Amino acid sequence: MVLKSTSANDISVYQVSGTNVSRSLPDWIAKKRKRSLKNDLEYQNRVELVQDFEFSEASNKIRVTKDGNFAMATGTYKPQIHVYDFANLSMKFDRHTDAENVDFVILSDDWTKSVHLQNDRSIQFQNKGGLHYTTRIPKFGRSLVYNPVNCDLYVGASGNELYRLNLEQGRFLNPFQLDSEGVNHVTMCETNGLVSVSMEENVVEFWDPRARSRAAKLVLENEIDNAPFQVSTSSFRKDGLNFACGTSNGYTYLYDLRTSEPYRVKDQGYGFDIKKIVWLDDVGVENGNNILTCDKRIAKIWDKDSGKAYASMEPSVDINDIEHVPGTGMFFTANEGIPMHTYYIPTLGPSPRWCSFLDSITEELEEKPSDSVYSNYRFITRDDVKKLSLTHLVGSKVLRAYMHGFFINTELYDKVSLISNPNAYKDEREREIRRRIEKERESRIRTSGAVVKPKVKVNKTLVEKISSKRGDNAASKILTDDRFAEMFEDEDFKVDENDYDYKQLNPVKSAKETDEGAAKRIRALTAAEESDEERIAMRDGRNSESESESDSEEEEEKQELSDAQKRKIEKQRKAIERRKKDKEESDKFLNEMKVSDAGLSVNAQKHADTFGQQVKLMKKQEKEGKDESQILRRNHRGEAELTFVPQKKKPAKKPRKVEDDSDSDGEESKIDNGRSKPRYEGRRRASKNVFRGM
């Protein structure tokens, strides 16, 4: 037998009893195999801490007596009370009640006196003989607490009153009038006697039983999402100064009663309401600051000062209540499952006196158990039932319904599966043979032969570079990679190191790559060198053309040009055209530079002068270039000047009459508007007579 354990932060948490720990069998299997279980070693060696530590359906509440020798639990169905005797590790007795239990309190040091709050508004008093007395309250009760100082029993209900039942006088006293309706939880501090009432609103009211008045009112604030919430539970520490309360949205608030602001807010993480808070003060000095908070999913233990997680207990079913055995590291949980759970944390405290053997067997039995499979029976789902064509047996004794599937006899399952798939055995045998062969191949000693490199058709130099820099393994990986396979097989991806573009991208070669052993600088050709190369290429082309014309018939007979040679010739032709285009662009650029040399020289002269000299020069040029007759004029600062001088209009000149001597025979005179002489002497004239008159 093994114990289920979880470990976090080097803290081991052992699940002594509960789901997936003790071997639980369905009733129909247990009855059938009742006699054969005496020969089952696994069933005989199981760890059962307390016998019959379970309920028929679920458990509601669990309490440990003050002397630590008994535990009382309530559950269903039917509603019942169980009392367990730790000295005998078994159940002492069980009692059935008329209604389901909501909460109960043990009045005495042992189990003999207890008060139970039922869900039918009744309060039952139990003693050794059974039911002692029953009374009722006006509203449905939710929580109760007992004050041993004045023998008052405080009952919180769904109304706005906190009922007080005095057990010494045997009558109800005037209730405490609350500001709001709905009491979720009532608790009392043993040190100062202060009673806290957790309300459906985000309010906690504190009442002083001696003054019978409200002492304080605490309003909780949710600064994270500002969503409405309730106060589900509360708890006082034994020192009387620290107070903790849990909310319906999964937060725990820790307060010092001397301040109204919480000094720690802890998120449980699941968003469910906090069911119980336990201060772990009696488990050692080093762990005195730990606190336990529990919701229906998980119970967490953490440090109240730092908020650091210490340990956690997470059963596979919902938790209804949790109880700590004082002075030990043991916890009991009442939950929705049939068995109640028991957890043991050795680092938190020793095991109880009545089960001291746990300290010696926990480490020996610590192991995570595998999923339980009932012997002679196999679990199958509904899909498996359809595949095996057993749907007509659903509801019979052959298929036992269990959760989302069925139990079937193992022998019957083997027969049915063989009928549905006759080749199943053969296929499984072949798979097993193949697995064994592969296993033997892996164990063989491999020969250290030469590594066969993949064939390289193109770019062999590139492969050599990669192998020299990164090793043969890197080169082989690149060659076998599908992404780069075509680069070493297809001629289109061949790298031509003599190409002009390649030289531009790789201007420097290492000493290993050059034939001479010295690094040489590859530079681009100048315009003159390119023109020389073009002339040589054209001359060689003409010579080759003449030679090719003479020998064309012989070449055609020998062989035709291959595709690779054609591509090479086409590439050379494109390179020559590109060089011509580059030369034309460079010549055009040089001509433009020559034109702009004059302007650059003037600008250079300007830059050589000082700023004052340039201003004087600009003013002088402006003054000289000023034209009085010009109406619109701009200066060097970009400002425009508009001048206008009024003048009288001069009469238009009449055209001068010119008499022609040759036409003096009575013809009319002609008007000549043109000039008879050039505008200035020395103007160039294209007439030949000018040179004759020199």
Side-chain angles (χ1 to χ4, degrees), residues 481-622:
D481 197 339
D482 296 337
R483 298 175 296 175
F484 312 112
E486 294 183 358
M487 186 176 179
F488 305 99
E489 296 177 359
D490 195 349
E491 291 286 342
D492 294 337
F493 294 96
K494 184 177 181 181
V495 179
D496 187 6
E497 296 185 358
N498 297 323
D499 188 46
Y500 177 77
D501 295 335
Y502 179 84
K503 293 179 180 179
Q504 291 293 323
L505 295 173
N506 301 276
V508 179
K509 284 188 177 181
S510 62
K512 296 179 181 180
E513 296 176 359
T514 55
D515 297 332
E516 299 175 359
K520 293 183 179 181
R521 185 74 174 176
I522 301 174
R523 62 177 179 84
L525 298 176
T526 60
E529 292 174 347
E530 287 181 354
S531 61
D532 294 340
E533 282 192 358
E534 289 176 3
R535 287 196 297 270
I536 294 170
M538 292 173 64
R539 184 183 61 191
D540 294 342
R542 288 194 297 268
N543 296 334
S544 62
E545 287 177 0
S546 60
E547 292 175 359
S548 61
E549 288 176 359
S550 60
D551 300 335
S552 58
E553 296 178 356
E554 297 178 0
E555 290 178 356
E556 289 178 356
E557 293 176 357
K558 290 181 180 179
Q559 61 181 1
E560 294 181 354
L561 292 176
S562 63
D563 294 339
Q565 291 176 349
K566 290 180 180 179
R567 285 196 296 270
K568 188 173 182 180
I569 293 171
E570 183 66 20
K571 189 182 291 185
Q572 292 177 356
R573 187 183 63 78
K574 290 181 179 179
I576 293 171
E577 291 179 356
R578 187 172 59 254
R579 292 193 190 98
K580 288 182 179 180
K581 187 176 181 180
D582 294 342
K583 184 175 180 301
E584 292 176 357
E585 291 179 356
S586 62
D587 294 341
K588 183 178 180 181
F589 178 73
L590 291 174
N591 294 332
E592 292 177 355
M593 292 294 292
K594 289 178 181 180
V595 172
S596 61
D597 282 344
L600 291 174
S601 61
V602 174
N603 292 333
Q605 182 63 29
K606 286 184 179 180
H607 288 300
D609 297 336
T610 61
F611 181 73
Q613 293 175 355
Q614 293 181 16
V615 172
K616 290 181 180 179
L617 181 61
M618 291 174 67
K619 288 183 178 180
K620 184 178 179 182
Q621 292 176 357
E622 182 182 355

Side-chain angles (χ1 to χ4, degrees), residues 22 43 47 59 64 209 227 306 383-384 445 465 487 509 511 533 546 563 623 638 646 668 676:
S22 61
Y43 186 77
V47 176
S59 51
V64 177
S306 62
D383 296 337
D384 296 335
I445 301 175
K465 288 180 183 179
M487 186 176 179
K509 284 188 177 181
E533 282 192 358
S546 60
D563 294 339
K623 188 175 181 181
E668 295 180 356
S676 60

Side-chain angles (χ1 to χ4, degrees), residues 264-287:
R264 177 69 57 190
V265 178
K266 179 73 172 178
D267 184 9
Q268 192 77 355
Y270 291 97
F272 303 118
D273 57 326
I274 304 298
K275 291 185 175 293
K276 193 169 184 179
I277 300 175
V278 181
W279 296 88
L280 303 177
D281 296 330
D282 50 0
V283 288
V285 179
E286 66 277 8
N287 299 322

